Amino acid sequence: MEQKYVKEAFDTNWVVPLGPNVNGFEKDLEEFVNSLTPNPSPKGEGNLKKRVVALSAGTAAVHLGLLNCGVKPGDEVIVQSFTFCASTHPVTYLGATPVLVDSEPDTWNIDPELLEEAIKDRKAKTGKYPAAIVPVALYGMPYKADRIMEIANKYGIPVVEDAAEGFGSRYKGQVLGTFGKYGVLSFNGNKMITTSGGGALITANDDEWREIMMYATQYRESYPYYQHEKIGYNYRMSNICAGIGRGQMTVVNDHLAHHKHVQKMYEELLKDVPGVHVHSQPNLTPVPSPTGEGSVPVYDSNYWLCTITIDENVKVKGQEDAYKTIVTGAVGGAAGVIHAASSAHTDCEPNANVEAMRVALDQANIEARPVWKPMHKQPVYCRTSEKGIVKSEKFPSGAECLTYDNSVAYVNGVSEAIFKVGMCLPAGPYVTDDDVRYIVDTIKAQIL
């Protein structure tokens, strides 16, 4: 199907960032995200009324969502610390300061109670509330959307949901990205569906959709010549990429089912391996469906990537040689150019047994990778005027506030602890049952 839509784009000479495929892809996405059940009503009955703008990247979606929340230089934006840098970097594009909030242990996502503690503390310290909140669906796992929205509404703070990794994940029956003011989607090459590269922003209504569309197309005014009254961006998705997306939307439910199947296989095959734990969604009592018909799971993860943790005391072959060699290429399928590291070590890294397992899997032609390094441990967000001097403040809850020159972090130790023991395993559409068995057998064979 992808080739059909792409061929149509070339045959009709629609090879620009607009056209029938872009329009069609946006409509397909709207039908999907607005559905309150996995099978949308053909008449749209009982569905949401969100609008979607197809963009060149998920990062662009975060940027435009924050921009249209009014984020400006001097503001602060709360972002989940346990995430990829595309969640936080757009905050800096706008001249604002990231306030990085740590995770809860069950979902690995932003801790709602620490979130509220951070909001109140920022108000006390700066005299104003953060300009936006960005929760993240880490590896597809739903965040506690209702609690986060309750807190955000209490303090009048808009929410930009980063559901880039959570396309198709649901919380209490509702698709992630549809709870907040805006929702971010990603269609990068390794996501649940792909347009080779691209993203989208879910908006609340036609007016919001129109304004985001203006920003994504250089904010041109309606004159017979180019008139610009606001700074806009060249962020629209191309008609060719959207053609790939339209084809992918015909198999999105198959992809979701496959990832969940692979997750179940990992859970079953690794359940008796001492010290190795598959991270799974909380198993809570189902709740009434938002449509009023039957019940739905509280958490319904797409399991974009399946993740495990390896206890520190688990002995893995070759761990005594971990970090003795400097990595010369990008790990985890990263594209582009990387700097040559001067040392194999950083001040925060996965445990030696996790690195040894990654190397062994790589040698077995299995692409595993560490979990995301929390943003509050990234050097780019840990700058200080006096090297090594960080202002620290402890709270009665046990959390700690770390103040750097260019960020603030509210930490509880959860994400850093997971980073040291966590690992991502393959789960994509081409991962077969035999592949999963081979991966698990390889893991078992490396444990002493």
Side-chain angles (χ1 to χ4, degrees):
M1 289 298 291
E2 290 89 343
Q3 292 181 3
K4 169 182 177 291
Y5 289 118
V6 171
K7 183 176 185 299
E8 284 180 4
F10 280 102
D11 289 346
T12 57
N13 205 31
W14 282 103
V15 293
V16 291
L18 76 163
N21 281 338
V22 178
N23 297 338
F25 185 43
E26 288 173 337
K27 293 302 179 188
D28 291 343
L29 289 171
E30 287 172 0
E31 181 178 280
F32 182 83
V33 303
N34 282 323
S35 170
L36 293 175
T37 63
N39 299 305
S41 163
K43 296 180 180 179
E45 296 171 353
N47 293 341
L48 303 174
K49 305 295 181 185
K50 302 281 186 173
R51 298 294 310 276
V52 175
V53 180
L55 300 168
S56 57
T59 313
V62 177
H63 185 192
L64 293 188
L66 293 174
L67 178 69
N68 221 39
C69 285
V71 176
K72 60 188 183 302
D75 283 343
E76 293 183 336
V77 174
I78 289 182
V79 187
Q80 180 171 312
S81 185
F82 202 5
T83 184
F84 180 57
C85 64
S87 307
T88 52
H89 284 1
V91 176
T92 69
Y93 301 167
L94 295 166
T97 299
V99 175
L100 306 167
V101 175
D102 217 327
S103 296
E104 57 180 7
D106 53 352
T107 67
W108 295 6
N109 291 322
I110 193 167
D111 182 334
E113 307 318 310
L114 185 55
L115 166 65
E116 184 166 26
E117 192 168 16
I119 291 170
K120 291 188 291 188
D121 194 54
R122 298 323 298 161
K123 180 65 163 64
K125 285 185 168 72
T126 69
K128 62 179 184 179
Y129 290 119
I133 299 169
V134 184
V136 182
L138 191 71
Y139 302 121
M141 186 67 67
Y143 32 78
K144 289 186 169 69
D146 50 3
R147 180 67 180 129
I148 292 168
M149 291 307 303
E150 178 187 11
I151 294 167
N153 292 335
K154 177 179 178 181
Y155 298 101
I157 305 173
V159 172
V160 178
E161 296 177 68
D162 186 347
E165 300 171 13
F167 184 63
S169 294
R170 293 173 181 267
Y171 182 77
K172 296 184 177 179
Q174 187 171 330
V175 173
L176 296 187
T178 62
F179 291 87
K181 182 177 177 68
Y182 295 110
V184 172
L185 303 176
S186 173
F187 311 118
N188 199 16
N190 64 353
K191 292 300 194 298
M192 294 301 297
I193 66 167
T194 185
T195 57
S196 80
L201 191 66
I202 303 171
T203 69
N205 50 50
D206 290 344
D207 290 341
E208 297 277 1
W209 176 88
R210 189 173 296 106
E211 188 70 0
I212 294 297
M213 187 72 76
M214 288 286 288
Y215 276 120
T217 53
Q218 302 289 21
Y219 219 99
R220 290 174 52 190
E221 304 295 338
S222 59
Y223 294 92
Y225 43 85
Y226 286 83
Q227 172 96 352
H228 305 278
E229 298 177 7
K230 290 185 180 181
I231 299 295
Y233 304 87
N234 184 21
Y235 277 171
R236 281 291 268 161
M237 180 180 287
S238 83
N239 199 53
I240 294 170
C241 289
I244 299 172
R246 292 184 76 183
Q248 289 273 288
M249 286 300 291
T250 66
V251 294
V252 61
N253 287 325
D254 293 335
H255 285 193
L256 289 166
H258 173 79
H259 281 250
K260 293 174 183 180
H261 168 71
V262 170
Q263 169 72 13
K264 286 185 181 299
M265 285 196 68
Y266 281 128
E267 290 175 357
E268 180 62 27
L269 295 174
L270 287 168
K271 68 179 182 181
D272 296 323
V273 180
V276 177
H277 313 280
V278 180
H279 183 231
S280 304
Q281 63 193 19
N283 184 20
L284 302 179
T285 303
V287 296
S289 166
T291 63
E293 300 178 5
S295 61
V296 293
V298 175
Y299 294 93
D300 186 6
S301 175
N302 64 12
Y303 290 111
W304 169 56
L305 290 181
C306 299
T307 55
I308 61 171
T309 59
I310 303 174
D311 291 350
E312 187 176 6
N313 61 0
V314 172
K315 301 301 181 185
V316 174
K317 293 177 183 177
Q319 72 180 67
E320 65 278 3
D321 296 320
Y323 298 114
K324 287 188 176 179
T325 303
I326 295 175
V327 173
T328 56
V331 174
V337 177
I338 62 170
H339 284 131
S342 58
S343 169
H345 290 282
T346 67
D347 66 348
C348 180
E349 61 192 20
N351 292 334
N353 60 350
V354 175
E355 172 60 6
M357 183 66 76
R358 183 197 67 78
V359 171
L361 292 172
D362 183 60
Q363 291 171 347
N365 202 30
I366 297 166
E367 185 188 330
R369 65 176 72 170
V371 295
W372 300 128
K373 185 171 185 174
M375 290 299 106
H376 72 270
K377 299 303 295 184
Q378 295 285 0
V380 70
Y381 291 117
C382 298
R383 295 175 184 153
T384 57
S385 301
E386 299 179 63
K387 189 174 182 181
I389 305 299
V390 180
K391 183 179 178 182
S392 173
E393 180 184 357
K394 293 276 190 178
F395 293 94
S397 64
E400 185 177 11
C401 175
L402 305 174
T403 302
Y404 300 96
D405 289 354
N406 59 341
S407 74
V408 181
Y410 290 82
V411 300
N412 55 19
V414 170
S415 62
E416 186 176 348
I418 295 169
F419 174 62
K420 291 179 179 179
V421 299
M423 174 177 285
C424 301
L425 300 178
Y430 288 99
V431 175
T432 67
D433 288 8
D434 285 342
D435 290 334
V436 176
R437 295 187 189 97
Y438 172 65
I439 293 165
V440 170
D441 287 345
T442 305
I443 290 171
K444 290 179 178 179
Q446 297 307 310
I447 297 175
L448 297 172

